Amino acid sequence: MIQLTPQMRIWVAVEPVDFRNGIDGLAQMCRQKLQNDPLTGALFVFTSRRRQALKILAYDGQGYWLCQKRLSQGRFKWWPTNGSGPAHGLDAHQLQLLLWNGNPTLAQTAPMWRRITPVGS
């Protein structure tokens, strides 16, 4: 099981991928197209051409995890555009919204980090 934490780096590949790719093909895509090392512990999210399915590639220090979600009907409504580079970063709560077919850019949440002033200052 993969636990999503606020400290995780999550990268969404902008371009769709061939879903016949397995772990090795997606890891190679991370290195070449996303210019990122899949062994860093980040999560890499990919979609199929018709955006009916997602694959998530993760490395946990011992081996790779490959998870897939396919919608029973419809398509994933939100996906980053080409203008944002080869990969788009998401926060953990935004990935959860994406997995439930929501729009992570419209999430209204508190900032992830904020300065706390000591009491009495």
Side-chain angles (χ1 to χ4, degrees):
M1 179 174 205
I2 298 173
Q3 181 177 354
L4 297 177
T5 63
Q7 298 81 16
M8 275 187 161
R9 288 169 315 229
I10 302 167
W11 298 106
V12 177
V14 173
E15 294 293 322
V17 298
D18 183 348
F19 260 37
R20 293 176 291 185
N21 279 322
I23 290 172
D24 295 327
L26 293 175
Q28 189 67 18
M29 201 156 289
C30 290
R31 290 184 192 99
Q32 289 180 347
K33 296 211 176 185
L34 305 182
Q35 296 147 7
N36 222 315
D37 185 4
L39 299 174
T40 61
L43 297 183
F44 296 91
V45 184
F46 302 92
T47 188
S48 60
R49 290 197 199 303
R50 290 192 276 169
R51 289 206 325 239
Q52 293 176 318
L54 299 178
K55 280 190 178 183
I56 300 175
L57 180 68
Y59 185 77
D60 68 4
Q62 293 181 324
Y64 285 100
W65 286 87
L66 183 60
C67 308
Q68 180 174 341
K69 179 172 184 171
R70 185 180 71 198
L71 296 176
S72 55
Q73 55 182 267
R75 301 169 176 227
F76 285 95
K77 297 171 188 139
W78 179 87
W79 205 257
T81 59
N82 287 338
S84 59
H88 180 82
L90 287 183
D91 293 329
H93 68 278
Q94 291 176 312
L95 176 59
Q96 289 174 333
L97 278 171
L98 176 61
L99 291 173
W100 282 96
N101 202 10
N103 185 336
T105 60
L106 298 179
Q108 295 182 353
T109 58
M112 292 299 292
W113 304 104
R114 58 186 177 264
R115 172 168 263 157
I116 299 175
T117 54
V119 178
S121 296

